[in-house]
Amino acid sequence: MTFSTIDHAMMARALQLAARGLETTTPNPRVGSVVVRDGRIVGEGWHERAGSPHAEAAALAAASEAARGATVYITLEPCAHYGHTPPCAEALVRAGVARVVAAMRDPNPKVSGRGFALLDEHGIGWDCGLLEGEARELNIGYISRMTRGRPWLRLKAASTLDGKTALGNGVSQWITGAAARRDGHRWRARACAVLTGYGTVRADDPQLTVRDVPCSRQPLRVVVDGRLETPLNARILEGGNVLIASAVDDAARHAEYAARGAEIVVLPNDAGKVDLPALLHELAARGINEVHAEAGFKLNGSLLREGCVDELLLYMAPMLVGDAAQGIFNLAAMTGLDQALRPTLHDVRRIGDDIRIIGRLSPLP
């Protein structure tokens, strides 16, 4: 299929609209839609949050009668099942649209192919694949959850040029500048969950909330704490919305955390520690699409060793602090470079005085 210049422009607009739901649509995908008739936009919309109208429904409502005979651009295949809202494919049929252009198929098995099949049944032409790469990037976590049964895990770390995250005495504030820290909060804001370990809670007593950028909802905070050592007065427990992953099934201790608004999930592995892959599957079952990890070098190393990390988000500051300082990852010694992990560089750019590197260990799902 060859797409026209107008097709490209309208789908680009639909993607812009979809991005407005970057922080709010969990567990649903980020979707935008544009209704075009006679080369002119007559309606547009995006999915804002779970339970609210889907992008197509919002765009069709804005277009009203002008939708009849129009072309509708959607960043994701229209749904064909009943959830919190009626099927969008049926809404497109009722509106009498002439053509639908979608960026990608929906990987959700409840939808995949069924939306297009319903359009076929009613003689509505459709095309798929326009700006698909951009659409997949926007919904990388949703696609991961639907196709792999686990969220997309992005591991964030701030280090010096010699790969150190803190001095030997633990001092780390601040290695990177204000611009890089603000950028890190933007990535927190788009995540469904922010994950850390007990070691970081003990050393830094972080809140792990989104503060430096606007955010209408706070991500779930997840603490990996195999022995339930998180202090009950830890700042991360303030305000609830906390999940503690443990290897200890201690009803009395669980009740103490519950009184602070935290939920405990017990997921031990054979070594008596938290089963990290199982934790990711647990988060997926809770509708978590993207996980933003900010942890210490021990948990960072464990996440890497156990194949849990999909993407690295590294901020590097122009400073050198020497070998005695703390590193980013606790990894076993290697005897050959063929054993090295080799992320694919996805993006490299300057943020203030620092460098941000995004490297991928997993392909785009």
Side-chain angles (χ1 to χ4, degrees):
M1 171 64 191
T2 300
F3 294 103
S4 69
T5 301
I6 290 180
D7 288 338
H8 279 85
M10 295 302 104
M11 187 60 77
R13 175 57 181 164
L15 286 164
Q16 288 179 338
L17 293 167
R20 294 185 181 181
L22 191 68
E23 304 161 5
T24 59
T25 62
T26 304
N28 294 344
R30 300 145 179 161
V31 185
S33 180
V34 177
V35 182
V36 177
R37 184 170 179 178
D38 299 325
R40 183 174 64 89
I41 294 177
V42 295
E44 58 183 29
W46 68 94
H47 182 48
E48 296 184 30
R49 62 186 68 250
S52 70
H54 287 189
E56 305 94 302
L60 291 172
S64 190
E65 290 302 314
R68 190 161 300 279
T71 296
V72 179
Y73 297 86
I74 318 168
T75 59
L76 188 69
E77 176 184 357
C79 62
H81 70 288
Y82 282 88
H84 292 295
T85 60
C88 291
E90 291 184 3
L92 292 165
V93 170
R94 290 195 302 272
V97 306
R99 178 187 177 218
V100 172
V101 181
M104 60 174 285
R105 291 179 179 269
D106 194 329
N108 186 340
K110 294 181 179 180
V111 179
S112 189
R114 297 180 184 180
F116 293 138
L118 186 60
L119 298 180
D120 280 335
E121 289 176 14
H122 292 84
I124 297 174
W126 61 269
D127 297 293
C128 185
L130 177 58
L131 300 184
E132 180 174 0
E134 291 85 343
R136 296 180 76 83
E137 285 286 348
L138 189 63
N139 281 307
I140 195 167
Y142 172 76
I143 298 169
S144 175
R145 182 166 67 88
M146 288 297 161
T147 60
R148 302 189 302 170
R150 50 164 284 184
W152 181 265
L153 190 143
R154 182 178 295 112
L155 192 157
K156 178 259 183 182
S159 79
T160 61
L161 287 181
D162 48 351
K164 305 300 182 179
T165 61
L167 300 181
N169 61 8
V171 172
S172 63
Q173 296 184 347
W174 294 104
I175 286 177
T176 52
R181 296 197 298 274
R182 231 178 355 259
D183 191 68
H185 275 253
R186 291 190 185 97
W187 289 96
R188 272 190 197 178
R190 71 169 281 169
C192 311
V194 179
L195 180 146
T196 195
Y198 161 68
T200 298
V201 172
R202 178 188 59 201
D204 300 335
D205 195 19
Q207 293 175 281
L208 283 189
T209 54
V210 180
R211 298 181 302 279
D212 288 356
V213 297
C215 185
S216 62
R217 68 95 178 93
Q218 290 290 338
L220 174 72
R221 291 171 291 174
V222 181
V223 181
V224 177
D225 181 3
R227 293 181 292 187
L228 289 180
E229 297 175 289
T230 298
L232 292 174
N233 63 351
R235 294 201 302 164
I236 201 167
L237 298 179
E238 294 174 0
N241 194 33
V242 177
L243 180 71
I244 299 178
S246 176
V248 176
D249 193 1
D250 183 333
R253 191 66 171 149
H254 292 190
E256 291 178 330
Y257 286 113
R260 294 283 282 124
E263 181 184 356
I264 308 293
V265 59
V266 181
L267 298 168
N269 61 17
D270 293 339
K273 298 182 178 180
V274 174
D275 187 324
L276 297 174
L279 173 58
L280 292 186
H281 288 289
E282 171 69 22
L283 293 175
R286 293 167 179 256
I288 300 296
N289 294 328
E290 292 184 23
V291 174
H292 177 94
E294 293 191 29
F297 82 112
K298 288 184 179 179
L299 181 53
N300 286 348
S302 296
L303 289 167
L304 278 172
R305 287 194 305 273
E306 298 185 37
C308 296
V309 180
D310 298 303
E311 186 170 86
L312 299 173
L313 176 66
L314 303 180
Y315 297 88
M316 303 193 76
M319 67 173 72
L320 304 170
V321 295
D323 288 343
Q326 299 176 17
I328 307 175
F329 307 108
N330 180 24
L331 294 174
M334 299 177 186
T335 57
L337 291 178
D338 58 328
Q339 299 168 5
L341 296 172
R342 297 182 181 272
T344 300
L345 289 182
H346 178 68
D347 184 83
V348 179
R349 69 181 65 190
R350 183 169 176 169
I351 307 290
D353 292 329
D354 306 309
I355 299 297
R356 188 189 75 190
I357 299 172
I358 298 177
R360 287 190 173 162
L361 293 157
S362 300
L364 188 67

